[in-house]
Amino acid sequence: MMTATRRTFLKQAGGGLGMLGLADLLHLQAQEKKPHHTPKAKSIIWLYMYGAPSGMDTFDYKPELQKRDGERLPNPPEVLFGNPGPLMKSPFQFKQYGQTGRWVSELFPHLAQQVDQLTFLKGCTADSNNHAPACLQMNTGITRVGHPSAGAWVTYGLGSANQNLPGYIVMYDHRSVPVAGPPNWGSGFLPARYQGVTFRPSDTPLLYSQRLPEVSENRQRAQLDLLRDLNQHHLQSQSAESAAELEARIASYELAFRMQMEAPQVVDLSKETAATRELYGMDSDKTKPFGSQLLIARRLVEQGVRFIQIYSGGTRLNWDAHQDLEKNHRQLCEETDKPIAGLLTDLRKRGLLESTLVIWGAEFGRMPMSQDGNGRDHNPHGFLTWMCGGGTRPGVSHGETDDFGHRAIAGKTTVPDFHATLLHLLGLDHLRLTYRHQGRDMRLTDVSGKVIREVLA
């Protein structure tokens, strides 16, 4: 009877907080912890271009590919869908920009003006050419479900600098979620409090977080106090494992109560100046959705949130251009170019870029051959990622692919290398950031990974 009564109480009490605690199971944040070494970055904003942009059509110009357009390779590589077509040149114009003379596609006119500030990894590789396992690897280090995401590892290792907000926040595309969904930002075998919390750019950034109109703050406080006392009494009869989960649940109600006050303020963009809103592209219907999320990300960084991940592309529309690459990339680049450039500019003006690592990339790249005449298939053998701020060396380009943009031939960067580097910038040693699970000390980089020191400032 006691269990049934408590379950009913949890569903009805707290004016919505009970459902938040049951649905999202504990987003309790640990106290801020000491890093392994002096960090260069305090926060990460990871811009995840789900579906995978094409390197040779964005930032990795390939003159040989342009020259040999229409030729067939003697030994075409294995592709995911059907037979590969001939080599396909980029349909976009490229120009060199900045003192570094980096080539940038016409798709990114705003980012092109800041190319000297970017740090490129042009020899990235992954282990899968299928979206779901590749996304899981890029996010968790492993191609299968069940392992903690990078954001979960970071909040586990460093805790939170703001006890009124989650340390790890995710905002997915306004149209739909990416493939594999929540496991991309889950906590795996780490305690549930380290998983990512999804935020929405609206007046209710957290589902079920608003008090019911008939519940006053004092009444809700009294309900939470009673709930805490009931849980504490129940705690005495639990096993060690169950007790740990229940203790986290007790604290989750307190965090949710505090978030009711702070989270709506963070997403209230009406307080931003017209100039700032325009900087992020909020004056255009095309750029407003992504721009709003990036502006919220900047505000979250100011509040001490440790890890923020924002997705461009979901299951309804994404960068997976198997057909009509030109139309696909033009639309998505137009949606994201100005907001990203605005974010970098804003962070720099506010003195936040030095302590904020901004990442742009996806789960893999695309093939240099055509598919269905005007598209490109998946390519995990060589693709690019760029970073900015947070202790990276501006203007550096590390690694390269072959003349066609197919395979990494120098400066090869594996997913564990990438993860080891971002952890290092946050002051964490990927070899020491471990968690005992099923008799083994697990880590984000599993059994490999090295810090890419060539890109460190």
Side-chain angles (χ1 to χ4, degrees):
M1 284 298 294
M2 182 62 179
T3 302
T5 301
R6 291 183 74 257
R7 184 175 296 126
T8 301
F9 183 82
L10 287 172
K11 287 183 178 180
Q12 297 177 349
L17 289 177
M19 290 305 294
L20 173 65
L22 288 173
D24 288 341
L25 185 61
L26 330 171
H27 297 123
L28 166 68
Q29 300 303 310
Q31 295 292 326
E32 195 166 7
K33 304 175 185 177
K34 291 184 179 180
H36 298 138
H37 55 260
T38 302
K40 295 293 184 67
K42 296 179 180 178
S43 301
I44 286 181
I45 300 177
W46 188 343
L47 310 176
Y48 198 107
M49 308 292 109
Y50 164 63
S54 168
M56 69 281 295
D57 295 296
T58 53
F59 298 102
D60 197 9
Y61 179 55
K62 296 296 181 183
E64 192 68 15
L65 180 62
Q66 300 296 102
K67 184 188 306 183
R68 297 179 60 177
D69 178 51
E71 292 186 21
R72 287 192 174 272
L73 295 176
N75 297 302
E78 179 182 355
V79 293
L80 186 63
F81 294 106
N83 296 318
L87 294 172
M88 183 178 82
K89 68 179 183 180
S90 175
F92 310 112
Q93 298 297 313
F94 276 76
K95 292 182 180 179
Q96 289 177 285
Y97 292 87
Q99 295 182 353
T100 56
R102 299 278 177 240
W103 291 93
V104 182
S105 162
E106 63 181 277
L107 295 174
F108 289 108
H110 295 89
L111 272 173
Q113 305 306 314
Q114 302 193 45
V115 71
D116 284 345
Q117 302 299 316
L118 306 184
T119 303
F120 288 97
L121 299 173
K122 291 188 175 180
C124 296
T125 63
D127 294 339
S128 176
N129 66 349
N130 200 355
H131 290 293
C135 279
L136 287 171
Q137 185 187 25
M138 187 57 69
N139 280 298
T140 73
I142 304 295
T143 57
R144 59 186 182 275
V145 174
H147 288 255
S149 57
W153 278 109
V154 168
T155 50
Y156 161 67
L158 295 175
S160 175
N162 185 327
Q163 297 304 303
N164 296 330
L165 287 170
Y168 176 20
I169 290 175
V170 177
M171 291 180 274
Y172 50 77
D173 192 279
H174 65 285
R175 289 163 289 229
S176 56
V177 298
V179 69
N184 285 307
W185 50 85
S187 59
F189 47 74
L190 291 176
R193 60 182 177 266
Y194 298 117
Q195 66 186 4
V197 178
T198 53
F199 251 44
R200 305 179 304 166
S202 71
D203 293 335
T204 54
L206 286 171
L207 293 174
Y208 312 114
S209 64
Q210 288 185 313
R211 273 196 305 271
L212 297 176
E214 64 270 21
V215 179
S216 68
E217 181 175 342
N218 288 337
R219 181 182 173 187
Q220 185 180 42
R221 181 68 264 171
Q223 289 176 338
L224 288 172
D225 290 343
L226 174 59
L227 182 59
R228 180 195 59 214
D229 292 342
L230 289 171
N231 278 325
Q232 289 285 2
H233 177 74
H234 184 60
L235 184 65
Q236 307 305 317
S237 63
Q238 300 301 298
S239 65
E241 181 177 354
S242 297
E245 293 184 1
L246 186 54
E247 285 176 335
R249 179 170 295 187
I250 292 170
S252 76
Y253 291 109
E254 295 296 328
L255 174 61
F257 181 72
R258 298 193 300 270
M259 283 195 293
Q260 282 185 326
M261 303 302 295
E262 188 149 348
Q265 297 177 21
V266 172
V267 299
D268 182 8
L269 304 183
S270 64
K271 299 178 181 179
E272 298 289 343
T273 66
T276 298
R277 293 163 64 86
E278 192 277 333
L279 181 67
Y280 284 82
M282 293 181 62
D283 55 341
S284 166
D285 289 340
K286 291 182 179 179
T287 51
K288 184 177 180 179
F290 197 67
S292 299
Q293 292 177 320
L294 297 199
L295 182 49
I296 290 172
R298 188 220 79 203
R299 293 168 68 90
L300 289 170
V301 165
E302 289 178 315
Q303 297 302 313
V305 174
R306 187 80 63 186
F307 201 104
I308 305 150
Q309 191 175 46
I310 306 173
Y311 283 83
S312 165
T315 52
R316 293 179 185 172
L317 175 66
N318 53 63
W319 297 77
D320 194 24
H322 291 280
Q323 297 177 331
D324 205 346
L325 177 138
E326 183 173 2
K327 178 182 178 181
N328 172 276
H329 275 35
R330 281 195 186 281
Q331 176 178 345
L332 291 169
C333 288
E334 186 176 5
E335 291 178 3
T336 59
D337 173 44
K338 184 175 181 179
I340 296 173
L343 172 67
L344 300 182
T345 298
D346 202 17
L347 290 173
R348 190 178 301 111
K349 286 182 177 179
R350 294 170 183 268
L352 294 170
L353 190 57
E354 290 183 1
S355 61
T356 306
L357 176 63
V358 180
I359 301 169
W360 181 97
E363 63 270 26
F364 41 60
R366 311 209 73 82
M367 288 287 185
M369 301 83 65
S370 65
Q371 181 185 10
D372 293 332
N374 57 7
R376 298 192 193 277
D377 206 344
H378 305 171
N379 179 19
H381 309 298
F383 58 99
L384 70 86
T385 298
W386 62 253
M387 302 181 290
C388 187
T392 57
R393 290 177 60 193
V396 168
S397 181
H398 176 71
E400 61 177 308
T401 52
D402 59 33
D403 289 341
F404 307 115
H406 174 221
R407 287 189 176 275
I409 58 174
K412 183 177 179 180
T413 298
T414 65
V415 174
D417 295 339
F418 169 68
H419 286 157
T421 304
L422 71 86
L423 290 178
H424 177 85
L425 289 167
L426 288 167
L428 294 170
D429 182 345
H430 74 106
L431 298 175
R432 296 168 59 191
L433 184 65
T434 63
Y435 187 86
R436 195 73 173 177
H437 176 64
Q438 294 185 340
R440 177 186 168 198
D441 288 336
M442 310 292 285
R443 66 182 208 232
L444 174 60
T445 52
D446 197 26
V447 296
S448 63
K450 64 180 184 302
V451 175
I452 310 167
R453 300 195 176 274
E454 293 84 349
V455 302
L456 306 181

